[in-house]
Amino acid sequence: MMTSRWGKFQQGLRRIDTFAKGDPPKSPLQIGLIRGIALISFVCVAGSSTVAMSQTLTTQKTTIEGREETSFSTLCLLRDDSCLVQSNFCPLPSASCLPEKHLKQIESQKTPFNSVFKGGMERYSEGTVAAWRDAIARWEEALAIARNERDREQEALTLYWLGLVHFNLKELKTSADYYTQVLSIYEENGDLHSQASILNTLAQIHATWGEYQKAFDTYDRALKLWQAAKFRTGEAATLNNIGFVYADLGDFNQALDYYQNAFDLVENLGNPINIAATLNNLGRVYSDSGKGDKALSTYNQALALWREAENVPGEASTLNNIGFIYANRNNWTKAQEYYNQALPLWQQVGDKAGEASTLTNLGVVAANQGNPQNALERYNQALTFRREVRDRAKEALTLYRIALAQRDLNNLDEAQRQIEAALKIIEDLRGNVARSDLRATFFASKQDYYEFYIDLLMERHKQQPQAGYDRLALQASERTRARTLLEVLREANADIRQGVNPELLAQEQQLQRQLSVMEEQRIKRLSGKSGSASAENLDLEIESAIEQYRQVRAKIRATSPRYAALTQPEPLNVQQIQQQVLDKDTMLLEYFVGEKRSYLWAVTDNTLVSYELPGRDEIQSLAKEYRRLLTSPAHRRRIKTVAAAQSKLSNAILKPVADRIRGKRLLIVSHDILQYVPFAALSVSGTTGEEETPPLIVEHEIVSLPSASTLAILRQEQNTRSRATKDLAIFADPVFGSNDDRLSKTEAFEQTLPAELEASARAAGVNLSRLPFTKVEADNISALVSQEQTRGAIGFEANRVLATSQELSQYRMIHFATHGLLNSQNPELSGLVLTLFDSQGQPQNGFLRMHELFNLTLPADLVVLSACETGLGERVRGEGLIGLTRGFMYAGAARVVVSLWNVDDRGTAELMAKFYQQMLQQGLSPSAALRQAQIEMWQTEEWKSPFYWAGFTLQGEWK
């Protein structure tokens, strides 16, 4: 094995000489230094997981759910973008770091430092672990000499090599300590290249440890330095690595953007190794986006380049990834073929991280071929390597695979132990992400772990009903829900900006103003002669600004003393749910929809009963069909047809618990497709589908919750907030189009609506036409409250300026009767549409976006969104629906009434009038008032169809 490795090393030396400009180095010390660099390409001797991208650019691969990604580690980037090695090749990250005169000095001058340092280089070039250990000892001695002589150049040189050798040995903490020390020296002398290179490696270490926010911040510093130095290879390396972290967190759209930017740079520079690495990473994103054919084509391009360059680790990486494509297609034979090609290549170069990846994947093949024992053996081999290289995210992956195999072998105790170990790592890693959107995507990518855990616990409950496994399963279910919402609600009542760098706060405010101005510009462009093409360019700028805004908010959290002092809220256990959420009249119904089996937990203040329900496919089919019929204009009045679909769904998800819910208020924590189901319209009255039966709302007050734990946090936060002093603010009947008869006709504005809003509306199934009955709705509601206690904003007054003003914080109830638009790709761009034109016919920004809600202060008892689909949003596994409800709760609302579909204008006006009458005249709580209003609608022939009333749900506090 050593002979083969040494041959590769010698081949690396020959390539360096071939690519070098000018004469190759002749002196022994120069040869030793060059060989040290060559070993960056030949780190297999020490079992490192780095891969050479060129003679001057190395990479590290990280396995993500069975694939390999390639991360650049810029260890010695030259100032020439060609990446060709020059005759004065240096071990430091910059070509100026060790000029030729210094090489000659080290070789010619017999000083104590030169002798010791030279001995370390000679030992390092031998390429064995024992030799590297000896090199460390010599360099530590050299470091002491340099510091004693106060020679900063010699100190930097030695610190760098100590950092590198510990990095190659995967002793990352020690490596990071040395790199941090040498970074301070480069900052002193203003060497941008060297600073950026070291920062790139430090960020890579943070990412490996799962310290994702530190990785982002450090990469950001490196990127700015590369750009300042106008060094495109370094910029490409860092863009690639940022994409790598986004992919690790499950945000594949962002990862694709960064990889594509990196690819554009490396393609222009023409280095085939760098191109291959970026193609490899692009292939992974295509694979995760369900574009298997495109991924396969991209991987094959990378594979050809790896082989042409004789880059073994890169070849192994892409072979592994191609195998994963075939595994996703259940072509286990083909997958195994590629994995078996990759495995000996990893072993040839001694890359334990890569070997662990392919071993895990071979285990998956064995498991799917009915051989769990063989799978377990592969997983255990991989686990040893994962722990050796301290790759925590992939350790969790392998532990999850081990748990699956142990369950297949009926070793349920061991399966539970392994999956709990995996989940502990996932929880730790999740806590290292400051950005809430990335925490959500990361957590979403790990939901299979929790689903397996819940299913395993419920299997154990079936075997041992008195052992309390169903309680543990419910607690696990709570951990999978609305975790980011819990955290932002806890954050909402703390001034996390206190003590933060004023420059960061200024950036945040500037970006907020910039977003507002850009939105106004887009509206004007769309309404003017420049048209949609000009606005589309501005859309890209807005998306970029939002990404910057997210990053700044993450930095505020990461550097905020108050945020650091916040205790991250833990989801409630069963006893806490019973004590803090429920009372004797209230029952929690919490659902979990699983692949093969789903579950329902019915919890009162002193009991817990669990039920097994059908799997995901059956429940989704029933729920989709019922919703389709209920909301379709062609079917919603066909009472028997809708009732039959309702009956089938009710039998599947409610019938098992029918005897226990009598007389109870129901707190519904739904899951998956059930988040789109109007539980108020379901029935447990022995339905057969032959005739309509009384809906659930007749006997039960119904409240929806993202999780039981959310309500506990809401109550804690509400107790610390001052109450609003006035009763009602209401927004209704905004002006959407220039053809509105409230506007004077002019030639300047012929189109009825900005094109971007029209497109968004069509995508959401919303017709952004005038809503005349919302004025009737507003008038009827306002008549119930004294004029002094009401702020009516009708027509032109229903504008964004008022909606974002401090005036709104004075009102206990805030009512928006307007259109809502959802952006499932980017939830922060969802919002409410207010008046889009002023009274002179000039277009204005009337879109109240979700990200703006997070800047409002609304200590309201109730916010009502009587608009279309305001209760929906992007469905994120582990979070639920990320939509407008979340924004208003963050702003301070105790409860929010929202809709699940495109509601009828006139029917909604009728429902809302009854709702407010029950609250303001009969003194009912909002949840009880909504129930009574819905019953009255159901009892009226014109509004009997659940389409007109069941779409509205109350989320939040029920008291």
Side-chain angles (χ1 to χ4, degrees), residues 472-501:
L472 290 177
L474 174 57
Q475 289 167 204
S477 172
E478 277 289 298
R479 297 196 76 84
T480 69
R481 300 170 191 269
R483 296 287 298 282
T484 303
L485 177 58
L486 287 181
E487 290 153 359
V488 298
L489 289 176
R490 173 65 59 85
E491 171 193 321
N493 208 34
D495 184 8
I496 66 169
R497 286 160 180 78
Q498 184 171 325
V500 172
N501 185 338

Side-chain angles (χ1 to χ4, degrees), residues 16 54 69 84 144 153 167 175 179 217 232 280 504 520 765 767 792 816 855 912:
I16 287 175
S54 72
E69 271 199 311
L84 297 180
E153 287 187 3
F167 185 91
S175 176
Y179 280 136
D217 293 343
R232 292 177 295 165
N280 183 72
L504 274 180
E520 291 178 9
N767 177 18
F816 291 94
N855 299 315
M912 289 299 157

Side-chain angles (χ1 to χ4, degrees), residues 216-364:
F216 276 125
D217 293 343
T218 309
Y219 279 135
D220 186 55
R221 290 171 62 191
L223 187 62
K224 290 175 181 175
L225 289 170
W226 292 130
Q227 291 168 342
K230 294 181 171 53
F231 187 54
R232 292 177 295 165
T233 299
E235 184 179 351
T238 301
L239 287 170
N240 179 83
N241 290 1
I242 294 172
F244 169 85
V245 180
Y246 275 113
D248 201 17
L249 293 171
D251 190 341
F252 300 116
N253 288 332
Q254 280 294 324
L256 183 60
D257 287 343
Y258 278 97
Y259 287 150
Q260 190 60 58
N261 289 336
F263 182 77
D264 291 343
L265 284 173
V266 298
E267 189 176 35
N268 289 332
L269 297 173
N271 187 290
I273 300 299
N274 298 354
I275 294 172
T278 313
L279 285 169
N280 183 72
N281 297 347
L282 283 168
R284 180 273 168 101
V285 175
Y286 295 142
S287 174
D288 283 309
S289 304
K291 301 174 182 177
D293 290 339
K294 190 170 184 178
L296 194 57
S297 173
T298 306
Y299 283 144
N300 282 323
Q301 293 177 59
L303 186 62
L305 290 171
W306 291 129
R307 286 174 169 167
E308 183 180 350
E310 299 182 33
N311 189 296
V312 175
E315 180 182 354
S317 173
T318 302
L319 285 169
N320 180 84
N321 295 353
I322 293 174
F324 192 85
I325 293 287
Y326 287 108
N328 276 342
R329 297 173 175 178
N330 296 325
N331 188 339
W332 304 111
T333 301
K334 198 76 172 176
Q336 187 174 29
E337 175 187 327
Y338 278 94
Y339 292 149
N340 282 335
Q341 290 181 61
L343 186 62
L345 296 181
W346 294 128
Q347 293 167 340
Q348 175 185 334
V349 297
D351 190 323
K352 295 181 180 179
E355 186 174 354
S357 169
T358 303
L359 283 169
T360 299
N361 293 343
L362 283 167
V364 173

